[in-house]
Amino acid sequence: MKGKINISIIGAGNVATHLGIALHKAGYKINEVYSRSIKNATELSDKIDAQSIDNVSKLSKSSDLYVIAINDDGIIPTLKQIEFKDKVFVHTSGSISMNVFEELNFKNYGIFYPLQTFSKDKSINISEVPFCLEANSDPTLQLISNIAGSISNSINYINSEQREVLHLAAVFACNFSNNMYQIAHGITTENNISFDILKPLILETASKITTITPQEAQTGPALRNDQNTLNKHIKKLENKPDLKEIYKLISNHINSTRKTD
Amino acid sequence: MKGKINISIIGAGNVATHLGIALHKAGYKINEVYSRSIKNATELSDKIDAQSIDNVSKLSKSSDLYVIAINDDGIIPTLKQIEFKDKVFVHTSGSISMNVFEELNFKNYGIFYPLQTFSKDKSINISEVPFCLEANSDPTLQLISNIAGSISNSINYINSEQREVLHLAAVFACNFSNNMYQIAHGITTENNISFDILKPLILETASKITTITPQEAQTGPALRNDQNTLNKHIKKLENKPDLKEIYKLISNHINSTRKTD
């Protein structure tokens, strides 16, 4: 059954790579991988028994699903190059509305958004990745639900408005928390302390929110309103105005939510 | 051997509770738990076969180690009430210098700082918690190294200056990343989306830094300098000035480190 469904992957970045490999492993036939760089396309296509192309006009017209997994900015320009508009197209972006397909006269379309942070060199258990799905018709939703359901145990129906909000929340939960790690990495390495010593703390901080709420999990000097420590820390950041500003702003925010939530 | 070492726990909060239980389990005799609140002291002492006291003057004078695990602000006032100064005292704070002991004429002292975030209702694998140790003499360092080494596999010798820096880094890595989770929690629940959908993302974001650096792990619209998405997000936060400010500041920081690191 899966073997009869053919998929084209448009993109060869982090998301395209993880998805392409997962779909191939699940038994789908990947017709081709498109990238503006044939080298990038080939790097992925070689792994998943597919062709590689660097021109949208070379896309096979016989695929059952076209997965557009490229940078947000590239989605509309790429869609504009596609002339066969009756096939099923999905994109994987958290922040681009499903309307882009309608506006460009596509007939069957949807969203196939894996809510996860992908880096090429970090393997991931795709079965635990929440897929946020949306489609313009029941048959298309059924098709992409089946496909998502064959690689992941977490299928979620999220409309475009909710998805935009979810993407914003994900930026805080992932991108911004990672930036906090990066700041910590900078502070430790600059002071000849191994960043390794912070790793159990980082893992436990994340693990906590699987069993208690972030509000219950909050600890630290800002929560205790421990002015002595806060002032000591701000003083240590005297020569790093951007970090000092971040420190003050987030500490104030922790303190304010303590009072009002 | 462990059975012959007696320990007094001063404090009954999160750190005192996790340490007290771990030391008891490791076979040490806990003489008593002190807290200003006898109810809190008893709650812990009942679990670890110890006495409970609410007055520092009642501390047994026969313990081999006195572990001061209370809020930073309480450390000096509590130490001032202790009249027998020849025994071994340690505190568990990340941000209070070891000098406090010397200034109050203690003879044998050190630091026993578990670099972890403790919440009472969240169990923890103490064997993976990095202990940061420091002492004013070799015998005291040996004693606390043995004790820490019997409950944890991660023993680190960190002086007071390094520890202050480490604590600052830990505030970013733990307290601030948790606040990012809390903001994400607020955004999702406010929009009737289950926070659960973000949990795999949060766990993966933390897990990534065990194998790649935070800089390598960074993803998201700020890193890509994707102005469309950044502006959309900022607009969504129009009615939340504090979150809008945090969003802009951290996005700018992510973008600036991309350029200069």
Side-chain angles (χ1 to χ4, degrees), chain A residues 14 71-73 95-97 115-119 121-124 128-130 132 154 156 158 161-185 187-188 191-222 224-229 232-233 236-237 242-243 245-251 253-254 256-257 261, chain B residues 14 71-73 95-97 115-119 121-124 128-130 132 154 156 158 161-185 187-188 191-222 224-229 232-233 236-237 242-243 245-247 249-251 253-254 256-257 261:
Chain A
N14 293 338
N71 276 352
D72 289 359
D73 293 347
S95 56
I96 301 289
S97 166
L115 180 51
Q116 190 49 281
T117 171
F118 296 98
S119 295
D121 296 334
K122 172 72 171 71
S123 70
I124 214 160
E128 290 172 6
V129 173
C132 302
S154 176
N156 308 271
I158 302 279
E161 201 178 332
Q162 284 178 311
R163 185 164 36 83
E164 280 189 15
V165 166
L166 195 53
H167 186 244
L168 172 61
V171 164
F172 280 96
C174 165
N175 305 153
F176 288 4
S177 61
N178 184 72
N179 191 241
M180 299 301 109
Y181 307 157
Q182 190 175 337
I183 292 171
H185 186 275
I187 293 171
T188 48
N191 288 278
N192 298 314
I193 301 168
S194 167
F195 180 64
D196 286 350
I197 200 174
L198 287 173
K199 289 177 179 177
L201 177 67
I202 286 171
L203 292 173
E204 172 63 15
T205 303
S207 164
K208 268 175 143 184
I209 57 88
T210 63
T211 54
I212 56 180
T213 67
Q215 177 145 13
E216 290 164 342
Q218 188 67 57
T219 55
R224 296 193 304 271
N225 199 17
D226 173 353
Q227 290 297 328
N228 262 340
T229 302
K232 252 196 271 186
H233 285 172
K236 277 196 191 302
L237 297 170
D242 48 349
L243 299 192
E245 207 48 49
I246 290 173
Y247 187 95
K248 284 162 108 174
L249 199 58
I250 302 181
S251 291
H253 186 250
I254 290 173
S256 72
T257 51
D261 278 7
Chain B
N14 294 336
N71 276 352
D72 289 1
D73 293 347
S95 56
I96 301 288
S97 165
L115 181 51
Q116 189 48 279
T117 171
F118 296 98
S119 294
D121 297 334
K122 173 74 171 70
S123 71
I124 213 160
E128 290 172 5
V129 173
C132 302
S154 176
N156 308 271
I158 302 279
E161 202 178 333
Q162 283 178 312
R163 185 163 37 81
E164 281 187 16
V165 167
L166 194 53
H167 186 244
L168 172 61
V171 164
F172 280 96
C174 165
N175 305 152
F176 288 3
S177 62
N178 184 71
N179 192 240
M180 299 300 109
Y181 307 157
Q182 189 174 339
I183 292 170
H185 186 275
I187 292 171
T188 49
N191 287 279
N192 298 314
I193 301 167
S194 167
F195 180 65
D196 286 351
I197 200 173
L198 287 172
K199 289 177 178 176
L201 177 67
I202 287 171
L203 292 173
E204 174 63 16
T205 304
S207 165
K208 268 175 143 182
I209 56 89
T210 61
T211 54
I212 57 180
T213 68
Q215 178 144 11
E216 289 163 342
Q218 189 69 56
T219 55
R224 297 192 304 269
N225 200 17
D226 172 353
Q227 289 297 328
N228 264 341
T229 302
K232 253 196 271 187
H233 284 171
K236 277 196 192 300
L237 296 171
D242 48 348
L243 299 192
E245 206 48 49
I246 290 172
Y247 187 95
L249 200 58
I250 302 181
S251 290
H253 185 249
I254 290 173
S256 72
T257 51
D261 274 10

Side-chain angles (χ1 to χ4, degrees), chain B:
Chain B
M1 178 57 189
K2 285 175 194 170
K4 289 185 186 167
I5 295 182
N6 294 327
I7 299 176
S8 294
I9 306 279
I10 294 144
N14 294 336
V15 175
T17 298
H18 284 276
L19 274 187
I21 290 171
L23 292 168
H24 172 67
K25 274 192 187 161
Y28 297 102
K29 164 77 184 139
I30 312 297
N31 278 335
E32 73 266 301
V33 174
Y34 159 83
S35 169
R36 278 178 303 184
S37 147
I38 194 73
K39 184 174 160 290
N40 291 350
T42 305
E43 197 182 321
L44 173 56
S45 67
D46 278 357
K47 291 177 186 153
I48 58 178
D49 199 18
Q51 302 294 310
S52 57
I53 59 172
D54 61 358
N55 193 317
V56 174
S57 70
K58 291 183 192 159
L59 275 171
S60 97
K61 293 176 185 65
S62 66
S63 290
D64 301 289
L65 177 69
Y66 295 79
V67 178
I68 299 167
I70 59 180
N71 276 352
D72 289 1
D73 293 347
I75 293 177
I76 290 177
T78 302
L79 286 177
K80 282 184 174 166
Q81 296 174 58
I82 293 170
E83 298 192 347
F84 51 104
K85 308 215 171 192
D86 53 332
K87 308 295 284 186
V88 179
F89 287 82
V90 293
H91 74 62
T92 61
S93 164
S95 56
I96 301 288
S97 165
M98 193 167 70
N99 291 340
V100 291
F101 292 108
E102 192 182 7
E103 285 161 10
L104 294 167
N105 300 314
F106 284 82
K107 304 297 175 223
N108 306 292
Y109 49 82
I111 307 295
F112 199 82
Y113 169 44
L115 181 51
Q116 189 48 279
T117 171
F118 296 98
S119 294
K120 267 189 182 167
D121 297 334
K122 173 74 171 70
S123 71
I124 213 160
N125 183 355
I126 202 114
S127 69
E128 290 172 5
V129 173
F131 276 77
C132 302
L133 307 181
E134 185 184 7
N136 76 320
S137 74
D138 283 347
T140 297
L141 192 60
Q142 190 62 53
L143 173 72
I144 66 176
S145 294
N146 288 345
I147 294 172
S150 69
I151 59 175
S152 169
N153 298 318
S154 176
I155 304 303
N156 308 271
Y157 299 103
I158 302 279
N159 67 34
S160 286
E161 202 178 333
Q162 283 178 312
R163 185 163 37 81
E164 281 187 16
V165 167
L166 194 53
H167 186 244
L168 172 61
V171 164
F172 280 96
C174 165
N175 305 152
F176 288 3
S177 62
N178 184 71
N179 192 240
M180 299 300 109
Y181 307 157
Q182 189 174 339
I183 292 170
H185 186 275
I187 292 171
T188 49
T189 51
E190 201 173 281
N191 287 279
N192 298 314
I193 301 167
S194 167
F195 180 65
D196 286 351
I197 200 173
L198 287 172
K199 289 177 178 176
L201 177 67
I202 287 171
L203 292 173
E204 174 63 16
T205 304
S207 165
K208 268 175 143 182
I209 56 89
T210 61
T211 54
I212 57 180
T213 68
Q215 178 144 11
E216 289 163 342
Q218 189 69 56
T219 55
L223 184 75
R224 297 192 304 269
N225 200 17
D226 172 353
Q227 289 297 328
N228 264 341
T229 302
L230 294 170
N231 289 335
K232 253 196 271 187
H233 284 171
I234 287 164
K235 210 171 157 194
K236 277 196 192 300
L237 296 171
E238 210 49 70
N239 295 322
K240 300 185 195 302
D242 48 348
L243 299 192
K244 189 169 118 178
E245 206 48 49
I246 290 172
Y247 187 95
K248 286 161 110 174
L249 200 58
I250 302 181
S251 290
N252 285 341
H253 185 249
I254 290 173
N255 197 251
S256 72
T257 51
R258 176 179 77 110
K259 285 176 194 153
T260 60
D261 274 10

